[in-house]
Amino acid sequence: MNDNKIVFFDLDGTLCPNNDLKVNVEMIELLKTFPKRGILSVIASGRSFYETKPLLETLELDAIQNMI
């Protein structure tokens, strides 16, 4: 059995409750524990790659899937 896990996050209203591309510190710390637990983290957003790239780097996530 494969134990790999992947989690997709929306930004606006989910990771960024105020739609301002700002994530609270507690969520950032939680997301940074995912790689140690074997969880791949991906942002799924309608925002452009250039808008979301700085957030990807800040959160140290694995990928962004832009849904345009």
Side-chain angles (χ1 to χ4, degrees):
M1 184 164 88
N2 189 340
D3 291 335
N4 294 335
K5 296 174 180 75
I6 186 168
V7 178
F8 291 87
F9 295 98
D10 179 45
L11 292 178
D12 298 315
T14 306
L15 280 184
C16 306
N18 298 321
N19 299 332
D20 58 4
L21 290 182
K22 294 186 179 160
V23 180
N24 71 45
V25 175
E26 294 85 5
M27 182 59 73
I28 291 170
E29 293 305 314
L30 175 66
L31 291 172
K32 287 183 178 182
T33 69
F34 283 13
K36 292 178 254 180
R37 297 164 49 197
I39 302 170
L40 180 70
S41 302
V42 179
I43 292 174
S45 178
R47 288 181 178 255
S48 74
F49 172 76
Y50 298 103
E51 276 186 287
T52 56
K53 187 173 185 276
L55 187 61
L56 174 78
E57 293 167 351
T58 298
L59 297 177
E60 299 175 16
L61 298 180
D62 300 294
I64 295 176
Q65 176 62 49
N66 298 97
M67 310 294 218
I68 298 175

